[in-house]
Amino acid sequence: MFDRVLLVLASVAAYSHAHSPRQSGCAHNGIFFTPNEVVGKTIMDMDKNGDGTLEQSEVVSEFVTRYDSNNNNEISEAEFVIKWMLRYHDGRDFAMYLFHHFDKNDDLKLTPADFLALRAEIDSDGDGKLSEAEFRTFMIDIYKNCVPGI
Ligand SMILES: [Ca+2]
Ligand SMILES: [Ca+2]
Ligand SMILES: [Ca+2]
């Protein structure tokens, strides 16, 4: 019985450690941008016409032009991670975590299928549009929940 209690306590401790923001390598940022600043930059990069809404065409265009180095219409983990680190100065752990979070169908590449699935997930009010606020909430949650090596 006592052993069982210890086991439960140990797993609770492991759980809360894993879910504490800023205690993981994910929080490392090379030039100390906060997550909010990084998200602001990603929004500026994606919202090409500056109207506060992220159209599917804007998101796809941003990813294809910035990340798809070999122009095969897919973004590999290697392509994504290096570009994200260079542009936003987040650590490798976070960039990898983000890639896997974006890769909705787990085929280890980012394609329009992933962006469609992400869009449905991020559009929390279901109006078919992706607002800056919806994207910001989605991204900040990822920063908060990031666990290295997953
Ligand atoms: Ca726009
Ligand atoms: Ca994918
Ligand atoms: Ca919306």
Side-chain angles (χ1 to χ4, degrees), residues 15-33:
Y15 181 87
S16 43
H17 176 75
H19 287 75
S20 313
R22 299 219 156 264
Q23 286 194 358
S24 70
C26 293
H28 175 73
N29 185 289
I31 55 175
F32 306 110
F33 287 142

Side-chain angles (χ1 to χ4, degrees), residues 46-55 58 130:
M46 282 191 288
D47 186 9
K48 306 289 184 196
N49 65 359
D51 68 350
T53 298
L54 305 175
E55 303 296 334
E58 290 176 319
L130 217 77

